[in-house]
Amino acid sequence: MVSVGIEAMNVYGGSASLDVLELAKFRSLNTSRFENLLVKEKTVAMPYEDAVTFGVNAAKPLLDDMTPEEIGRIELLVTCTESGIDFGKSLSTYIHHYLGLSRNCRLFEIKQACYSGTAGFQMAVNFVLSQTSPGAKALVIATDISRFSAADAAEAEGADWSFAEPSGGSGAAAVLVGENPAVFEADIGANGYYGYEVMDTCRPVPDTEAGDVDLSLLSYLDCCQQTFQEYKKRVIGADYRSTFQYLASHTPFGGMVKGAHRTMMRKEAKAGQAEIEEDFLRRVMPGISYCQRVGNIMGATLFLSLAGTIDQGSFETPGRIGCFSYGSGCCSEFYSGVVTAEGQRRQRRFGIERALGERYPLSMAEYDELLRDTQAIKFGTRNAKPHSQLIPEAWQALRGKGRLELVQVRDYHREYSWGG
């Protein structure tokens, strides 16, 4: 059988960040409760950044590491997002163009809340397995942004900002899928999926999130348990405690993952509190490490967790990672794959942790200025230019890094350029 999985993966966590403990204090939130969320920083999308720029900037380092011949074998491009910029025209068209991919490439977009990245990944895996084009590769890009405004803050006065604003991040993951899965070899057929209709969280309009926090938590817990039960039916002998050296999960915020892991260890392993805490720190916390610094980036968050697990874990001997993906509405899946020491070495080349440390740290005054930006480009804008130097220091800090930036929208068409 053909091997398949991740040949290379990169996460782009944006150019600016915000200390969310400072945000919690600014919002007069209960900081002791806030600490249980296990969040530290969030990526804040700047005026010249959108889902296209995040996606391209995540994928560009992968292509820079490939030969022209290898790039030419990318025959499938799937973008996965709930931050689309047009009801018809897909982000994939822009991303395909600015990455300079072959025109003999199938490209389209998936919307399925935070499950979309896994949907694209599994589609790519099965495309490679089909062998309809032996040697072909697929590029899956999950990219999402959260934007808040002064109007959002006013409308949410007294609402649960401790969940939405501090945890809502921006970023993208680019995943190259092919027959040489040096980074993460997928366990073929080891998939447990589960879905049903529930109104937990949604985007009723393109730039605003809504939902029921408690219902979302309950749905997440339910799906975590049900997907693993289905996984066990397909993988005889699978054991939650012993089969997986690490666990990577969709991470709206770390506290939700910790709660789900506690429930799973009690039900599946009959574990006590001390064992659960030790197991969480050892097997789960590596996958939360990057999520704590970027926030929830929807369809890309599971791959942010997977990247953190591979970078921070120990793989002197090959280790299996169990992956739980959840998307509101809802659809979910538990699957797995194997990582080796060589895979970890290859993954670490992209320096995700270093890049996160190089983001411009916004002050609360600068963040508040962004919230009040009247030139912010919204869904459906016909003609506009982003207020690129609203925060001059942040814009200047990006010079010389060769990142794709949004320049203007002209007759609905978005135009981008590679920053100096």
Side-chain angles (χ1 to χ4, degrees):
M1 177 182 285
V2 174
S3 296
V4 64
I6 299 175
E7 296 189 345
M9 173 171 58
N10 184 46
V11 172
Y12 179 64
S15 63
S17 64
L18 181 71
D19 183 318
V20 291
L21 183 57
E22 291 303 309
L23 174 61
K25 293 175 181 176
F26 186 74
R27 295 281 184 235
S28 300
L29 300 176
N30 182 337
T31 54
S32 60
R33 174 175 177 264
F34 182 81
E35 289 169 2
N36 294 327
L37 297 179
L38 297 179
V39 293
K40 295 180 180 178
E41 301 168 305
K42 60 178 276 181
T43 292
V44 178
M46 301 303 287
Y48 38 83
E49 295 178 318
D50 65 7
V52 171
T53 68
F54 276 104
V56 170
N57 290 329
K60 184 66 163 53
L62 301 186
L63 271 63
D64 289 345
D65 204 42
M66 299 168 66
T67 66
E69 290 75 23
E70 289 173 328
I71 295 173
R73 291 312 315 273
I74 296 175
E75 297 181 13
L76 173 65
L77 170 64
V78 186
T79 55
C80 316
T81 189
E82 58 185 69
S83 306
I85 55 178
D86 187 278
F87 281 123
K89 184 174 173 62
S90 165
L91 295 179
S92 65
T93 59
Y94 288 106
I95 290 175
H96 176 270
H97 172 72
Y98 285 98
L99 289 177
L101 299 181
S102 167
R103 293 198 172 190
N104 301 119
C105 179
R106 180 181 290 137
L107 55 147
F108 56 91
E109 188 166 293
I110 292 175
K111 179 189 76 174
Q112 189 57 45
C114 300
Y115 175 73
S116 63
T118 286
F121 174 69
Q122 295 297 345
M123 182 170 290
V125 165
N126 284 286
F127 166 68
V128 174
L129 283 176
S130 74
Q131 288 295 285
T132 52
S133 183
K137 303 178 188 297
L139 181 59
V140 179
I141 298 177
T143 177
D144 269 300
I145 64 173
S146 298
R147 288 202 194 276
F148 295 89
S149 67
D152 292 329
E155 184 178 334
E157 189 71 34
D160 192 2
W161 274 90
S162 62
F163 173 82
E165 189 185 19
S167 62
S170 298
V175 182
L176 184 69
V177 179
E179 298 175 18
N180 301 297
V183 172
F184 177 88
E185 182 173 353
D187 291 325
I188 305 305
N191 308 77
Y193 25 86
Y194 188 77
Y196 54 95
E197 197 282 317
V198 61
M199 198 65 172
D200 54 340
T201 66
C202 61
R203 285 199 185 191
V205 293
D207 301 309
T208 302
E209 300 251 357
D212 184 322
V213 174
D214 293 332
L215 181 59
S216 184
L217 174 59
L218 291 172
S219 184
Y220 183 98
L221 291 173
D222 180 36
C223 286
C224 187
Q225 296 170 53
Q226 296 299 331
T227 54
F228 186 68
Q229 292 302 315
E230 183 64 20
Y231 180 95
K232 287 201 299 183
K233 291 178 183 177
R234 298 169 185 241
V235 183
I236 304 303
D239 179 80
Y240 187 80
R241 178 165 48 187
S242 61
T243 298
F244 314 102
Q245 280 63 55
Y246 294 98
L247 295 159
S249 299
H250 171 58
T251 307
F253 54 90
M256 182 179 281
V257 177
K258 187 172 186 178
H261 181 68
R262 180 169 57 244
T263 298
M264 292 296 290
M265 286 294 288
R266 285 174 177 169
K267 292 193 172 184
E268 293 291 331
K270 311 302 180 188
Q273 186 58 37
E275 181 186 355
I276 292 172
E277 184 65 24
E278 182 278 330
D279 191 76
F280 173 77
L281 293 174
R282 177 172 51 86
R283 291 200 298 159
V284 183
M285 199 61 200
I288 293 179
S289 57
Y290 291 161
C291 299
Q292 286 185 298
R293 304 188 62 189
V294 176
N296 182 12
I297 48 176
M298 294 75 177
T301 307
L302 174 58
F303 295 106
L304 180 63
S305 177
L306 180 60
T309 303
I310 296 173
D311 279 358
Q312 309 293 337
S314 177
F315 296 97
E316 286 79 8
T317 57
R320 176 164 280 106
I321 301 176
C323 302
F324 171 60
S325 176
Y326 173 81
S328 294
C330 69
C331 190
S332 57
E333 185 165 346
F334 191 99
Y335 57 101
S336 60
V338 174
V339 175
T340 65
E342 173 62 15
Q344 183 184 62
R345 186 191 69 78
R346 287 174 176 252
Q347 183 56 42
R348 284 177 171 174
R349 290 178 305 166
F350 293 105
I352 295 170
E353 185 170 24
R354 182 187 68 251
L356 294 179
E358 293 173 349
R359 292 172 299 174
Y360 177 81
L362 293 164
S363 67
M364 280 309 308
E366 290 171 328
Y367 176 69
D368 197 48
E369 189 74 15
L370 285 170
L371 294 186
R372 301 180 189 284
D373 180 14
T374 57
Q375 292 181 221
I377 295 178
K378 297 181 178 293
F379 183 97
T381 298
R382 181 168 186 169
N383 293 291
K385 288 186 178 182
H387 194 171
S388 295
Q389 297 200 46
L390 181 65
I391 311 296
E393 294 84 356
W395 186 83
Q396 191 59 44
L398 196 56
R399 299 310 91 204
K401 294 189 176 180
R403 305 266 174 79
L404 191 72
E405 300 171 15
L406 175 63
V407 174
Q408 69 175 339
V409 183
R410 183 161 47 188
D411 286 333
Y412 301 113
H413 186 239
R414 296 202 174 199
E415 298 176 9
Y416 302 86
S417 70
W418 295 98

